[in-house]
Amino acid sequence: MNEPLLDRRERAAASSGAPGFALWNLGFRPFYLLASVFSAISVLAWAAQLSGYLPSAFLQGPLWHGHEMLFGYTIAVIAGFLLTAVRAWTGQPTPTGVPLMALAGLWVLGRALVLTPLDTAAAVVNAAFPVALAVAIGIPLARARNTRNYFFIGLLVLMGALILALHLALQGVFELPPRLGLLLGLDVVLFIMTVMGGRVIPMFTNNGVPGAGATRQPIVEKIALGSVLVLFLADLLQAQSAVVAAIALIAAIAHGARLALWRSWRTLATPLVWILHAAYAWIVVHLALRALSAADWLGESFAIHALTVGAIGGLTLGMMTRTARGHTARPLAADGYELTCFLLVQAAAAVRVFGDMASSSLYLPSIQVSGVLWAAAFGLYAVRYWPVLTRPRLDGKPG
């Protein structure tokens, strides 16, 4: 219904004589585009590698696949979101133009170095990116004395330390299970998603669905966020499996209650809202599967992919769509292309998590099908949003 209006406004903007290339005008533009293109290619190449379709290895193993999707794709979306949101929160400028190019170039260099034998350089560059991002958002936060969001600076520095630890562990510099660095990184991203999800999903729900009645309860909020922090500490200290299982189960119940308060069933007619609820539901699934995994009832991979494909994939895609539309003065409503992206990423998560769970014989087919679905979702986003992310705002404002 919004497509004719959108087309008219885009044609009017294109004929207005406004400067034609806006990729470096604000942080979400290059990082959303880079993230979507990279994730589509990387996952498809990884699935092809596992299937034996590549003449030589794309990545050296599953840990590097996890590294690239977490510290490559996910952190790029976080960068785009924070560079844009911090400017809105503080009224202070965030990197644009050449400084933004340099930050994007650092991220691209990290992706390239992972594919080379230059292990030390890869470690330094990849660890430097979240630290550089922390500086980029820390300056405007400090100028505005926006103490509420200082924790993002600490989380980004922590991610830099985890990246460095993972690289050094894989190089054998010191004894640390490389898997632990990846797991802790996932916990950090989980905390970021639960904090931001709690801030924006109820608000977007009530704004986008009249009468939805999404609410928040302080006790539920405290248990939900606190349980994720405790889970991080349990993983950091390598606590006993029974302890991890208990914490994950409590967290699953708390986040399930939190999601129920947001009235997800009332959002089904609004794709730009229900995708956020669907993604958050995968957080509940992830935590429940983590409890089962810690109890040795299921493999750890199911919980990991519920978080990475379902929650991270769905939430980042939903937020990349919404914020790109909002910050380019487009209607906050999904069209057919975006709805297709949302359905594809949800199908990718379901196939990856439940296909292999149904039968071990479906392990490789589930990776292949899920990989194609994921690549289609993010490839379609990249094609659809190339003109959105590279052209000026429709209302002529900066950004």
Side-chain angles (χ1 to χ4, degrees):
M1 188 169 70
N2 293 295
E3 288 174 295
L5 172 63
L6 182 59
D7 290 342
R8 285 198 299 272
R9 292 182 69 181
E10 287 187 340
R11 284 197 297 270
S15 62
S16 67
F21 194 70
L23 185 64
W24 307 108
N25 286 6
L26 197 53
F28 76 94
R29 292 176 176 274
F31 280 108
Y32 286 2
L33 192 57
L34 285 169
S36 57
V37 171
F38 170 75
S39 70
I41 294 173
S42 183
V43 168
L44 202 59
W46 175 246
Q49 176 179 329
L50 288 184
S51 303
Y53 296 144
L54 296 182
S56 59
F58 164 60
L59 294 169
Q60 296 306 308
L63 277 173
W64 285 113
H65 165 62
H67 176 283
E68 287 303 276
M69 296 315 297
L70 180 61
F71 299 127
Y73 165 72
T74 305
I75 203 169
V77 179
I78 291 173
F81 175 81
L82 286 177
L83 290 170
T84 304
V86 165
R87 191 176 79 160
W89 295 339
T90 64
Q92 297 288 326
T94 53
T96 59
V98 174
L100 182 57
M101 291 181 194
L103 198 56
L106 185 64
W107 180 88
V108 171
L109 182 60
R111 309 286 59 74
L113 287 172
V114 165
L115 305 179
T116 73
L118 302 174
D119 296 336
T120 301
V124 172
V125 170
N126 279 288
F129 178 75
V131 176
L133 178 60
V135 173
I137 68 166
I139 292 172
L141 287 173
R143 284 175 176 167
R145 297 183 181 178
N146 189 296
T147 57
R148 182 188 185 212
N149 292 301
Y150 280 2
F151 75 96
F152 281 115
I153 301 170
L155 290 175
L156 288 169
V157 172
L158 176 58
M159 288 189 75
L162 292 173
I163 293 170
L164 186 60
L166 174 60
H167 278 262
L168 294 178
L170 286 167
Q171 294 173 32
V173 174
F174 59 82
E175 291 187 9
L176 174 77
R179 166 197 157 278
L180 180 60
L182 198 60
L183 183 61
L184 293 173
L186 286 170
D187 288 343
V188 171
V189 171
L190 173 62
F191 183 69
I192 292 173
M193 289 195 299
T194 55
V195 169
M196 293 311 302
R199 289 186 187 182
V200 304
I201 295 176
M203 178 180 66
F204 289 167
T205 300
N206 290 330
N207 290 345
V209 184
T215 61
R216 300 172 66 185
Q217 293 292 336
I219 186 63
V220 174
E221 293 295 301
K222 290 177 181 178
I223 296 174
L225 297 179
S227 61
V228 174
L229 289 175
V230 174
L231 184 61
F232 172 84
L233 290 174
D235 288 335
L236 177 64
L237 299 173
Q238 300 183 63
Q240 294 182 350
S241 296
V243 174
V244 174
I247 296 169
L249 182 58
I250 292 169
I253 294 169
H255 285 276
R258 194 187 202 199
L259 183 61
L261 289 169
W262 296 344
R263 309 291 195 270
S264 300
W265 59 90
R266 295 179 179 174
T267 70
L268 297 180
T270 312
L272 212 56
V273 178
W274 72 243
I275 183 59
L276 303 179
H277 286 257
Y280 205 91
W282 280 106
I283 291 178
V284 181
V285 174
H286 160 71
L287 292 166
L289 293 178
R290 271 220 68 185
L292 294 176
S293 171
D296 274 338
W297 291 354
L298 279 176
E300 187 180 52
S301 175
F302 300 116
I304 289 174
H305 286 96
L307 178 62
T308 53
V309 185
I312 294 176
L315 196 59
T316 54
L317 191 57
M319 290 303 296
M320 285 196 299
T321 300
R322 186 181 188 94
T323 56
R325 280 185 165 275
H327 286 281
T328 56
R330 286 168 170 78
L332 291 178
D335 61 22
Y337 295 99
E338 292 145 351
L339 177 59
T340 301
C341 292
F342 298 163
L343 293 173
L344 284 169
V345 80
Q346 290 300 300
V351 169
R352 184 63 185 89
V353 174
F354 299 118
D356 185 21
M357 193 183 298
S359 172
S360 59
S361 65
L362 296 177
Y363 170 71
L364 185 57
S366 69
I367 292 175
Q368 293 168 331
V369 173
S370 178
V372 170
L373 292 169
W374 173 283
F378 286 91
L380 182 59
Y381 176 90
V383 171
R384 172 69 182 90
Y385 273 78
W386 169 266
V388 174
L389 297 171
T390 57
R391 293 175 185 168
R393 289 175 59 107
L394 296 184
D395 57 8
K397 294 181 180 180

